[in-house]
Amino acid sequence: MFAFSQSDGTDLRGETWVELFPWLDTYESAAAARLEALVPEVADWWVSDSPRDTCTDASMDSLVESLGQLVARNHRSVPFGEIAPTLDAGIGLAALHLPPRAETVVRRLGTRDFVTTLMSANVETLFTLRGTSLETVQQISAGIVGAAIRIDPERGTAPEQEGDNPAVTQLVDDLRFLARWRRLRDRLDTPLIEVEIEDDAPEGVQDAASRVSAVTARDLDILVEANPIDEIENLVEQLDERESIVLRDHLMAADPVTMGELSARLHVTKSRAGTLVAAVKERFATVCGFDTAAGGLLASIRTEIAPITPLVRLLALHPVLDRAVPSLGVPLWLVLDRLDDFFEVTEGWAAAPDVHAAKGRTIVMLEQFESDNGAVALSTVARSLNLAPDEARAWIEFCEIPIVDGHALLMTRRPEDHIAGILDAASRSLTTDEVMDHLDTNRSRGSVERILNDDDRVTRDESGRWRLRDDVPGEIGEQRRFTDVRRTRRLYRIDGTWCFRISVAADHLRGASLTVPAGVATAFGCRPGTVHELPSPLGPQTLRWTAASPTSGTIRRFLTELDSRPGDVVILTCSESEGFGVRRAAAVADTDDPLRRALALVGHPAPTDLAEDRLATVLAQAAGLPPATKPRRILSVYQSRDEAVARLLEEKWVVASR
């Protein structure tokens, strides 16, 4: 990219920013605050100053990068020729100073007059090109902005040589990147590229394909990984006295001092102590970039914690984790656990990114295997989580999920569902006392028998024992598992759009992939054993179902677009007309009708606009029920699949009926 730090301003244009980029004039009120923050020392800088003036008040590299991000985010349908109307479209592509990946994307527009063609395109056009990411589009947008503020953008650029191709540079860089990952994963002899060629292709072509397919990480000049302990030691040596106290007494201590005690030792306020703790963690984060030994180790560890693994297994795979960091006197795994939020170690379990999230992800992974009554065989649990049978049982117990006759029970919120799950798992008739033993409840015998008698799924045989009726499904079949998307928790259909609700986690904001239920993958068009791409306003979204559980690629770019924070509720959407998307759950007040609040949770974009007599109808249709379904039946369906929505419906319908 540009190196404006080397500029004295004489090569920059003297027109005001808004004359060079008319779209800046649309930024008013709250939107203007974003521009004001870019050059905080100068009020309305985009109206009053020129790039030549701004050069003395701000980092031009950062400013151009930020403006490129604004273009990619807020002006997607505007042709680049209107984004930068004063830029000469006849300049060479080198004048945009694009990195290889971004230049490769521009060249895919398919003409030698690259800048001319680019200026007639827009952000949306770029997202339709293969290999495009949000970062790449932002770089291209910034390249246009950077060129437009120079008097002579081609000055200092070398003439393009015939045969120069950034794709070659990109390919080599990417191969080295992949080779390092293979080294981290101890798969040095696995081919980096797979080439398919026709059987009757010329011998020379066949040989070339064979040579390319034979390239492995061993063949590339990849340096041996540095020692992560040395990186940590180097960081510790750079800490000042206060930071060292924070590290040793609060972050690394076996019995950490409280924030109040820490503030007393540092002779600062609790607020200042908290700031120091955050600063130490932030300094550590710089040591954990993927290009470092510690960061590479962490990334490799995350692939083994999916979402949970016993710590002893992790230590066996990566012995360096059990080695002590000399200056701290604790093993490396503890340092990584305490200073980073990539994973958490609790009671012998390594969870990613923490135990709470791992429990939630476990349930999501198991939902595709549950019976209609919420029972999942522990053998299935073990296969899905890549655990040994005894480890699977221990983890399910740790998650406080009931186990009956070798089955985990996922539907236990309502006592009737819990009992149906018990009978399903037992696969035999049970006495009332046996049901109560498994139920582990303080309910009276009479109360339990009333639940059994009132449940249409249950029948009593001649001996007085209880069992599921013969027409009630038990273990879910393979075909049903992959096709019955309507049973999937938190997945609904609104006006032809599939809507899946999630709560934003720190992992999502960091760029991790998502484990999604099988029903979601199926609804979004992905099938077992396949990789499926969906179009989106921010480039293709990839779904993979090549392992036991399907996953979605990162949604970080969508969350950045929404300014999302951990804990926010967002809706993943998929439709034939618009492809994939992520949007906030509709805003409703806590005082609004519970049915409208419920509709926001199932993904309706505007529940406050619906007529009162339509609320129950839309809730029914979202869950796959006929429009005229009675409230009691609607409530029953939501009780079995979405606790958050069920509570709201109970608030409206159960209380009102008393």
Side-chain angles (χ1 to χ4, degrees), residues 208-234:
S210 178
R211 287 192 297 271
V212 171
S213 297
V215 176
T216 69
R218 283 191 197 278
D219 299 316
L220 298 186
D221 184 20
I222 304 297
L223 296 177
V224 176
E225 287 290 308
N227 188 331
I229 292 179
D230 292 342
E231 292 177 343
I232 303 297
E233 288 286 83
N234 184 52

Side-chain angles (χ1 to χ4, degrees), residues 249-457:
D249 295 357
H250 181 68
L251 293 173
M252 288 295 112
D255 186 17
V257 299
T258 65
M259 195 61 72
E261 293 171 322
L262 181 63
S263 63
R265 295 187 187 187
L266 297 174
H267 306 292
V268 297
T269 64
K270 287 177 67 174
S271 175
R272 176 58 181 157
T275 300
L276 287 170
V277 171
V280 172
K281 286 193 169 186
E282 181 63 28
R283 290 189 67 174
F284 178 80
T286 63
V287 180
C288 288
F290 181 68
D291 58 342
T292 67
L297 176 61
L298 276 170
S300 183
I301 287 172
R302 284 299 303 272
T303 65
E304 279 122 27
I305 308 175
I308 196 77
T309 197
L311 177 60
V312 292
R313 183 187 300 180
L314 212 56
L315 299 182
L317 289 168
H318 301 281
V320 69
L321 289 172
D322 211 21
R323 287 176 50 195
V325 178
S327 62
L328 300 176
V330 296
L332 178 60
W333 69 261
L334 180 61
V335 176
L336 298 178
D337 174 26
R338 294 284 182 85
L339 284 178
D340 184 82
D341 59 359
F342 271 74
F343 73 100
E344 175 188 23
V345 176
T346 301
E347 297 184 32
W349 293 105
D354 54 49
V355 168
H356 176 75
K359 288 181 178 180
R361 188 175 169 193
T362 294
I363 292 174
V364 169
M365 293 173 72
L366 297 182
E367 284 174 354
Q368 62 179 301
F369 303 111
E370 67 179 339
S371 71
D372 277 342
N373 305 300
V376 183
L378 288 180
S379 58
T380 301
V381 174
R383 286 196 305 274
S384 302
L385 302 181
N386 194 27
L387 297 173
D390 58 331
E391 293 170 344
R393 174 177 284 276
W395 172 241
I396 292 300
E397 290 174 345
F398 187 86
C399 293
E400 299 180 324
I401 297 174
I403 297 175
V404 173
D405 284 8
H407 288 73
L409 303 186
L410 303 185
M411 292 169 52
T412 58
R413 176 176 176 265
R414 296 192 307 160
E416 51 265 55
D417 291 333
H418 193 167
I419 291 172
I422 290 170
L423 294 173
D424 191 343
S427 297
R428 65 182 189 281
S429 299
L430 299 177
T431 65
T432 302
D433 289 338
E434 288 172 329
V435 170
M436 293 180 66
D437 288 342
H438 290 303
L439 194 58
D440 190 21
T441 178
N442 292 325
R443 290 177 177 271
S444 67
R445 180 187 180 87
S447 173
V448 171
E449 290 203 333
R450 278 194 297 275
I451 293 172
L452 286 161
N453 276 313
D454 291 343
D455 194 335
D456 293 338
R457 294 170 290 183

Side-chain angles (χ1 to χ4, degrees), residues 35 134 151 211 254 332 582 637:
L35 295 181
L134 177 59
I151 295 173
R211 287 192 297 271
L332 178 60
V582 181
V637 168

